[in-house]
Amino acid sequence: MLILSIDTALDACAAAVLDTGAGRAIALETLPMKRGHAEALMPLIARVMKASGVPFAALDRIAATTGPGSFTGLRVGLSAARGIALAAGKPVVGVTTLTAFAAPIVSENSEHPVISAVDARHDHVYFQVLGGDGHSLIKPKVAPIAEALDAARFGTPHLVGNAADMLAQRWPEYAPPPFKVDQQAAPDIAWVAWLGAAVNPEGSPARPYYLRAPDAKPPKDPLSGASQPPAP
């Protein structure tokens, strides 16, 4: 399969073309940024597609991060993904940022649980907890940091995400310290593509995965549907 993946949900603007037959991303680019995704994304996609040598018509699927993340940023990526999919006549799928952060760690089948966390501000985080083999311990949710820290009960964890350092700094003194802390501004775009290749399009819609309502409600449009089901 040839997969175009797109991520604008957090502090990066990224795209990649994955060739599953070759077992690697044949082209990718990631630009760190907090704002300006809308202006940067389409030129970046054009560069990645040119570097890959793959025409849009040859793609098998488009994958985009659905959040949690910046309400404005993730909608930029989803709009682009859905537009490209429509023009190319290809399916489009959504991948949550929490799953994308956790995926490379879970792929190693570690004995340590994985806490994937994204800063939700106001002393809250979006997070999920997975066993080292990928089974769900706590489904994706938004909660106070104190509640996320209670996941220490599952054992010495591997912390990952843009809130990994935040959790590590407030880790309970009574609990063993985290096994590893991977502070990342955004998921690995190649792993977004691998997840996009693996998911069932019917169960992974490309629409915003908010976990909570936005502070300011945007006008209704095709991207304003209800949250998608949690990723497995």
Side-chain angles (χ1 to χ4, degrees):
M1 294 179 71
L2 291 168
I3 312 292
L4 170 64
S5 60
I6 297 168
D7 173 42
T8 56
L10 295 167
D11 290 347
C13 184
V17 175
L18 170 71
D19 183 343
T20 61
R24 64 183 181 88
I26 55 177
L28 61 82
E29 183 176 344
T30 298
L31 297 176
M33 64 175 59
K34 294 183 179 295
R35 296 177 180 84
H37 299 81
E39 295 78 14
L41 180 58
M42 294 311 296
L44 184 149
I45 290 174
R47 292 193 298 271
V48 169
M49 290 297 295
K50 182 178 180 180
S52 74
V54 173
F56 285 100
L59 294 170
D60 293 291
R61 187 178 292 181
I62 293 89
T65 47
T66 60
S70 160
F71 295 118
T72 301
L74 69 89
R75 291 167 68 85
V76 168
L78 286 169
S79 295
R82 295 181 67 169
I84 292 169
L86 181 63
K90 306 296 180 179
V92 58
V93 297
V95 174
T96 73
T97 51
L98 294 173
T99 301
F101 274 130
I105 302 169
V106 169
S107 72
E108 299 172 357
N109 201 27
S110 170
E111 63 185 46
H112 300 278
V114 180
I115 302 177
S116 179
V118 170
D119 186 4
R121 301 182 180 180
H122 309 299
D123 212 41
H124 282 62
V125 290
Y126 304 106
F127 80 103
Q128 69 174 335
V129 185
L130 301 171
D133 60 359
H135 70 279
S136 179
L137 296 173
I138 297 178
K139 293 182 178 180
K141 64 191 301 185
V142 59
I145 290 175
E147 184 175 334
L149 295 175
D150 188 52
R153 68 184 187 275
F154 293 114
T156 306
H158 191 141
L159 305 180
V160 65
N162 75 356
D165 280 347
M166 185 186 304
L167 295 185
Q169 290 165 7
R170 295 175 59 173
W171 198 249
E173 293 183 1
Y174 63 80
F179 165 70
K180 191 172 183 181
V181 180
D182 278 341
Q183 176 71 18
Q184 298 178 23
D188 184 329
I189 191 61
W191 274 99
V192 174
W194 279 111
L195 290 168
V199 300
N200 180 346
E202 297 299 320
S204 303
R207 62 175 182 245
Y209 183 47
Y210 287 143
L211 288 179
R212 71 179 181 191
D215 295 330
K217 294 183 179 179
K220 289 185 177 181
D221 62 29
L223 292 180
S224 61
S227 296
Q228 68 188 56

